[in-house]
């Protein structure tokens, strides 16, 4: 029984049928595991020694003595203690909708600690969507109340792919817009000033015990003076790119004119004039 309990640790996948809530699948798996664990042979009940009074025939008649007897403890009896396993730690990797079906990841025992790593890994998920053209229901499902019906012979595969691409693009755009303020934009936190106790005028001011010891130059300049690191790196990259562009760009007419002016001035100065003695 202990080996079976130790083996139920880890992640596993089950199939979730449509029309069933994910919690019902989890509870059904847990119930079946508990039933199988309780079917194992139970350990032998503990024995207790009791000292019970009894009478024996003696020379003077009946005498009272104490006899040691061994009896099984009723605490370990199945009718008293009930099943050994009544709860098992189960975790859910992802929650599927009631009308969806497919792979359902579960974790048992110590395997629940791996669900965080599994969620952070961002494994690829593939979904298959099924629909019916020409009908509309109140809850957008095949079992809902029919509220509209029309023809669908004019729908082509090209039109459907165009609509799906527009939906996918809008979802990607919304994802980037929502995630940008959380991860890419700098944040500034306001720290309220700390309240200090008023000192008595008769006591001298100690520098080592005062807040001035921990005051820095950056705090004197203000929070706006502190520039983020990425801004300096960005300016350096732009300057380096400008220098490389100046070095490797193709020459223009302005460059040729400047070169002719500079070369002409150098030729006039060379050779140097010699002074007469």
């Amino acid at each position: 029984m202990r080996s079976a309990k130790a083996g139920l640790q880890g992640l596993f996948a089950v199939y979730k049928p449509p029309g069933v809530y994910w919690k019902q699948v989890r509870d059904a798996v847990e119930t079946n595991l508990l039933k199988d664990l309780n079917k194992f042979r139970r350990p032998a009940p503990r024995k207790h020694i009791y000292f019970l009074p009894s009478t024996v025939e003696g020379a003077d008649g009946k005498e009272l003595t104490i006899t040691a007897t061994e009896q099984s403890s009723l605490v370990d009896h199945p009718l008293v203690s009930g099943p050994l396993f009544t709860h098992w730690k189960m975790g859910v990797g992802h929650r599927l909708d009631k009308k969806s079906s497919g792979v359902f990841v579960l974790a048992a025992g110590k395997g629940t600690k791996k669900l965080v790593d599994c969620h952070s890994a961002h494994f690829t998920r593939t979904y298959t969507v099924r629909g019916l053209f020409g009908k509309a229901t109140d809850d957008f499902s095949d079992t809902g109340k029919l509220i509209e019906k029309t023809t669908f012979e004019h729908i082509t595969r090209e039109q459907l792919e165009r609509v799906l691409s527009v939906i996918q693009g809008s979802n990607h755009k919304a994802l980037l817009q929502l995630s940008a303020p959380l991860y890419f934009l700098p944040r500034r936190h306001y720290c309220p000033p700390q309240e200090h106790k008023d000192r008595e005028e008769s006591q001298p001011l100690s520098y080592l015990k005062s807040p001035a010891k921990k005051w820095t130059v950056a705090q004197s300049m203000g929070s706006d003076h502190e520039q983020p690191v990425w801004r300096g790196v960005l300016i350096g990259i732009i300057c380096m790119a400008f220098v490389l562009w100046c070095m490797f760009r193709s020459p223009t007419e302005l460059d040729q004119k400047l070169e002719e002016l500079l070369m002409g001035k150098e030729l006039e100065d060379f050779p140097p004039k010699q002074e007469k003695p």
Side-chain angles (χ1 to χ4, degrees):
M1 183 178 293
R2 292 182 178 179
S3 60
K5 180 180 178 181
L8 291 176
Q9 312 287 340
L11 300 173
F12 60 96
V14 297
Y15 173 76
K16 178 194 169 301
V20 182
Y21 287 103
W22 63 269
K23 195 174 186 305
Q24 294 179 354
V25 178
R26 176 205 169 277
D27 295 342
V29 173
E30 182 184 4
T31 302
N32 293 330
L33 289 177
L34 293 176
K35 286 182 179 179
D36 294 338
L37 287 174
N38 290 322
K39 286 181 181 179
F40 284 96
R41 185 177 179 181
R42 299 170 64 96
R46 291 171 292 181
K47 300 292 184 178
H48 291 277
I49 298 176
Y50 297 94
F51 295 93
L52 302 177
S54 61
T55 57
V56 295
E57 294 291 339
D60 299 335
K62 294 183 178 180
E63 297 180 357
L64 182 63
T65 60
I66 297 177
T67 306
T69 58
E70 185 179 7
Q71 295 181 0
S72 300
S73 176
L74 296 178
V75 177
D76 299 333
H77 197 276
L79 298 178
V80 177
S81 62
L84 293 179
F85 300 96
T86 57
H87 174 72
W88 193 256
K89 189 176 182 181
M90 297 285 295
V92 179
H94 59 286
R95 300 178 181 181
L96 294 176
D97 190 68
K98 178 183 178 181
K99 297 180 181 179
S100 61
S101 61
V103 179
F104 190 46
V105 180
L106 296 174
K110 298 180 180 179
T112 54
K113 298 180 181 179
K114 299 181 180 179
L115 290 177
V116 179
D117 299 335
C118 183
H119 185 268
S120 302
H122 299 289
F123 294 114
T124 303
R125 301 178 184 179
T126 304
Y127 296 91
T128 303
V129 182
R130 296 181 181 179
L132 183 64
F133 293 113
K135 293 183 180 181
T137 57
D138 55 350
D139 58 352
F140 302 100
S141 65
D142 55 345
T143 58
K145 182 180 179 181
L146 184 64
I147 59 176
E148 188 177 354
K149 188 175 181 180
T150 184
T151 58
F152 56 91
E153 288 80 5
H154 61 282
I155 300 177
T156 60
R157 184 181 183 87
E158 183 180 357
Q159 294 176 352
L160 182 61
E161 290 179 353
R162 189 183 301 112
V163 173
L164 292 177
S165 62
V166 172
I167 296 174
Q168 185 178 7
S170 61
N171 290 336
H172 281 289
K173 184 178 180 180
L175 179 63
L176 293 175
Q177 289 178 352
L178 293 176
S179 60
L182 299 178
Y183 300 100
F184 300 103
L185 297 182
R187 298 180 179 179
R188 291 186 178 181
H189 301 279
Y190 171 74
C191 297
Q194 298 181 358
E195 297 181 357
H196 303 284
K197 297 181 179 180
D198 297 335
R199 64 180 185 87
E200 298 180 1
E201 296 181 357
S202 60
Q203 296 180 356
L205 180 62
S206 177
Y207 173 77
L208 297 178
K209 296 181 180 180
S210 65
K213 182 182 178 181
K214 301 180 181 179
W215 195 264
T216 60
V217 179
Q219 293 177 348
S220 301
M221 298 296 294
S223 59
D224 295 334
H225 181 73
E226 299 178 2
Q227 301 295 335
V229 180
W230 63 267
R231 186 173 297 177
V233 175
L234 181 61
I235 294 174
I237 293 174
I238 293 174
C239 295
M240 187 179 297
F242 179 76
V243 173
L244 293 175
W245 176 78
C246 293
M247 294 176 59
F248 297 102
R249 68 184 182 89
S250 58
T252 60
E253 296 180 0
L254 182 61
D255 296 334
Q256 294 178 0
K257 291 181 180 180
L258 292 174
E259 186 177 359
E260 291 175 0
L261 291 174
L262 294 175
M263 293 299 293
K265 185 176 181 180
E266 290 179 359
L267 292 175
E268 290 177 0
D269 296 337
F270 184 84
K273 296 181 180 180
Q274 297 181 359
E275 297 180 358
K276 294 182 180 181

